Amino acid sequence: MKKLFIIFGLAAIQYTYCQDSLKATKAPEEAVVEKNPLDIGELKINLNPKGDKWLKFGISSQIWLRSIDNNPGTLVNGVPQDQTYDAGIRRMRLTIQSQLTPFYSIFLQMGINNQTFISGGGSGTGNNGAGKKAPFFFHDAYNELAIIPRNDFQTGKPNKNNVYIGAGLHSWNGVSRLTNASTTKMLAGDIPVFNFPAIEIADQFSRQFGVFVHGEFDRLNYRFSVNKPFATNLKPTVGGPAVDNNQSGKLSYSGYAFYQFFNKETTVTSFLPGNNLAAKKVLNVGAGFYSTKDGTQSQPTENVFESHDVNVFGADVYTELPVGNKNKEMGLTLYSVYYNYNYGPNYLRVSGLLNPGTPDPQFTGQRALEGAGNNRILMGTGNIWFSQVGFVLPKFSKILKVQPFFNYALKDMKALNQSGSYYDVGANFYLYGQNARIVVQYSSRPLYDLVSKTIFDRKGEFLLSLQIIL
């Protein structure tokens, strides 16, 4: 699998040099009229001659090829495996955005996630066997009304302040920039997932039903929402940790705001990019929260239940800085965020992306607290500091851009007796801007002992990601 990653990377570079060599041999008159290969355009239909009423489509897919070092005691399709070669669809999405009147817009996003050869679809064997026919569902479905638009409807000039309100199944989230992350403009192979405080528990793939308001007050960009969390009803064990149980039916509240020191970002949708290849100078500092009463429950003594509020706070900084000669198109991207989570006593979540493994009941060795496959400690009551950095290398091709990156997360969970370090190192190979991306990445995770709650081993994972965006 390691050889496969190297071959893909070398092939991409070789292809680019060959293309540049062919263009250099063209006649001068052909070179003058040649269309910019980076200008792919967008899938947009204007509904009136003025062009202020329109229908826009978006398509994206992320295909993953992996080599996974499994946690001890892992079965894959019923067979013990220390290492697993894996292929799957991490995300495949279709978006529809419509400006029906100057004041009124609709946003829809649908698709599938996390389908592999063994997970994400049905169960059993046959036509709807393990991994087959993954569910296609709506991620976002909301309407939005402009109270004060970005641009004056009469003059077309930008307004210093703007306000929008909306309602539906939405992802105008609080807490941090990464909690509102664009999955089509990520710096690394994926987002770390702990950036979503209720992911697939009290939300649907980071979305909840509710009402939201967002906009700008000069250089301050903000978003706030009031939502109805998805229902949870897990039963805690006596003396055990808090678990997800919001049966009392309380609302959730969230918000995030960031101040923009240099170039301002346009937030037509909720998604904030984590990587624009440092094309413009950006420096944003933000903070946010997520809160819901009685979101979890514990049982300190038999038949005595206690409910606990869920409170999450985040503070972050995001910067993109062009570096050196402008013609070289070099640039630095840096993001750093601090999270404080409170889900109740000793709350802990474990998860593995596209996890192919299940526990082996016959295994007699040292088991990990995380369980089987590529499970890791995701989040819990405690603190997480996460940082990532990427650098666009000097331009050497009209088609290809290369951007090495590094991620680091330090997790200090109350339920564990030792902090854990997680890291990813890799490189992006961009073909035709950000419309096509190849990612080569290696990730390392610690494993915790079931009894001592301290680290006893580390495991790794190689990823080759192929991403297309239109």
Side-chain angles (χ1 to χ4, degrees):
M1 197 69 176
K2 298 177 184 178
K3 293 181 180 179
L4 183 61
F5 298 145
I6 297 171
I7 290 170
F8 266 90
L10 293 176
I13 296 172
Q14 183 178 5
Y15 169 81
T16 304
Y17 277 116
C18 290
Q19 292 294 309
D20 288 345
S21 299
L22 288 171
K23 289 176 181 178
T25 62
K26 289 182 178 180
E29 59 269 23
E30 290 180 309
V32 171
V33 299
E34 184 181 52
K35 184 180 179 180
N36 184 355
L38 303 183
D39 186 15
I40 291 180
E42 58 185 10
L43 303 174
K44 184 177 181 181
I45 301 172
N46 287 326
L47 302 179
N48 65 345
K50 188 178 179 181
D52 61 353
K53 300 177 183 179
W54 42 261
L55 190 65
K56 187 186 295 184
F57 300 89
I59 302 171
S60 65
S61 72
Q62 294 165 9
I63 309 300
W64 278 14
L65 306 174
R66 298 184 298 174
S67 173
I68 302 168
D69 294 334
N70 291 315
N71 296 345
T74 293
L75 294 177
V76 178
N77 199 24
V79 178
Q81 287 191 11
D82 294 328
Q83 184 182 44
T84 300
Y85 296 115
D86 179 56
I89 298 173
R90 176 66 175 103
R91 298 177 183 89
M92 189 166 287
R93 308 282 179 82
L94 170 66
T95 59
I96 303 174
Q97 187 179 353
S98 179
Q99 191 73 43
L100 298 180
T101 75
F103 291 94
Y104 181 66
S105 65
I106 297 174
F107 183 77
L108 302 173
Q109 182 175 193
M110 60 213 82
I112 67 171
N113 305 282
N114 301 336
Q115 183 187 17
T116 73
F117 70 100
I118 199 171
S119 64
S123 60
T125 307
N127 293 332
N128 192 29
K132 300 175 188 175
K133 297 189 171 84
F136 187 88
F137 67 96
F138 278 93
H139 293 64
D140 300 91
Y142 63 82
N143 298 357
E144 187 176 88
L145 186 67
I147 305 302
I148 303 175
R150 295 174 190 84
N151 299 300
D152 187 278
F153 292 136
Q154 303 300 323
T155 66
K157 294 181 179 179
N159 290 318
K160 190 174 184 179
N161 307 317
N162 60 73
V163 180
Y164 292 79
I165 62 172
L169 179 65
H170 71 92
S171 51
W172 291 93
N173 296 319
V175 187
S176 74
R177 181 185 189 91
L178 204 57
T179 316
N180 297 273
S182 165
T183 56
T184 60
K185 290 187 176 180
M186 301 178 291
L187 180 59
D190 205 350
I191 46 184
V193 184
F194 55 71
N195 47 296
F196 301 119
I199 185 72
E200 287 295 87
I201 296 293
D203 67 27
Q204 178 173 283
F205 227 74
S206 81
R207 282 82 169 172
Q208 291 184 348
F209 293 110
V211 295
F212 59 87
V213 57
H214 70 92
E216 289 181 315
F217 183 75
D218 195 10
R219 288 188 168 273
L220 183 69
N221 190 299
Y222 61 87
R223 59 190 66 197
F224 298 95
S225 65
V226 180
N227 305 298
K228 180 66 174 179
F230 284 83
T232 60
N233 59 1
L234 297 180
K235 299 300 180 184
T237 58
V238 177
V243 297
D244 295 283
N245 188 313
N246 60 11
Q247 287 180 293
S248 61
K250 301 298 193 301
L251 298 176
S252 69
Y253 304 87
S254 67
Y256 175 66
F258 59 95
Y259 189 83
Q260 306 171 94
F261 288 91
F262 300 133
N263 285 292
K264 294 175 66 176
E265 298 181 272
T266 302
T267 49
V268 176
T269 67
S270 63
F271 309 112
L272 296 170
N275 183 24
N276 282 310
L277 298 174
K280 292 182 179 180
K281 190 177 182 181
V282 174
L283 176 60
N284 300 337
V285 176
F289 67 93
Y290 173 86
S291 178
T292 181
K293 290 186 68 63
D294 300 340
T296 64
Q297 192 177 85
S298 63
Q299 188 180 180
T301 58
E302 190 168 0
N303 294 324
V304 175
F305 297 91
E306 289 185 6
S307 291
H308 307 279
D309 299 343
V310 173
N311 291 298
V312 180
F313 170 79
D316 58 9
V317 59
Y318 175 72
T319 186
E320 293 196 81
L321 298 173
V323 176
N325 189 325
K326 187 176 181 179
N327 294 329
K328 294 293 186 180
E329 299 180 0
M330 294 185 294
L332 176 71
T333 299
L334 175 66
Y335 178 74
S336 187
V337 60
Y338 165 80
Y339 293 111
N340 175 258
Y341 307 88
N342 190 347
Y343 296 97
N346 291 325
Y347 179 98
L348 197 65
R349 283 197 67 187
V350 172
S351 180
L353 286 176
L354 286 72
N355 189 351
T358 57
D360 181 359
Q362 305 301 320
F363 181 72
T364 58
Q366 185 175 13
R367 291 184 181 271
L369 173 66
E370 291 83 348
N374 65 347
N375 268 353
R376 64 177 60 195
I377 301 297
L378 183 62
M379 66 177 91
T381 295
N383 305 297
I384 295 180
W385 172 60
F386 173 77
S387 291
Q388 59 181 179
V389 61
F391 188 82
V392 180
L393 299 182
K395 182 179 179 180
F396 62 91
S397 164
K398 292 182 180 179
I399 297 176
L400 177 68
K401 282 190 175 182
V402 180
Q403 181 187 44
F405 62 80
F406 179 75
N407 289 349
Y408 177 78
L410 179 64
K411 302 183 181 182
D412 182 17
M413 302 289 98
K414 297 293 186 181
L416 303 176
N417 293 323
Q418 184 178 355
S419 298
S421 295
Y422 303 72
Y423 67 84
D424 314 292
V425 60
N428 295 314
F429 298 87
Y430 286 99
L431 304 169
Y432 299 100
Q434 289 185 278
N435 292 100
R437 179 174 77 138
I438 300 172
V439 186
V440 179
Q441 177 178 296
Y442 174 77
S443 303
S444 175
R445 64 188 187 275
L447 296 181
Y448 284 82
D449 180 74
L450 276 167
V451 178
S452 69
K453 307 294 176 63
T454 59
I455 297 169
F456 72 93
D457 198 4
R458 298 191 69 89
K459 294 293 182 181
E461 183 173 314
F462 284 96
L463 167 68
L464 176 65
S465 174
L466 312 174
Q467 178 174 299
I468 299 293
I469 306 165
L470 294 176

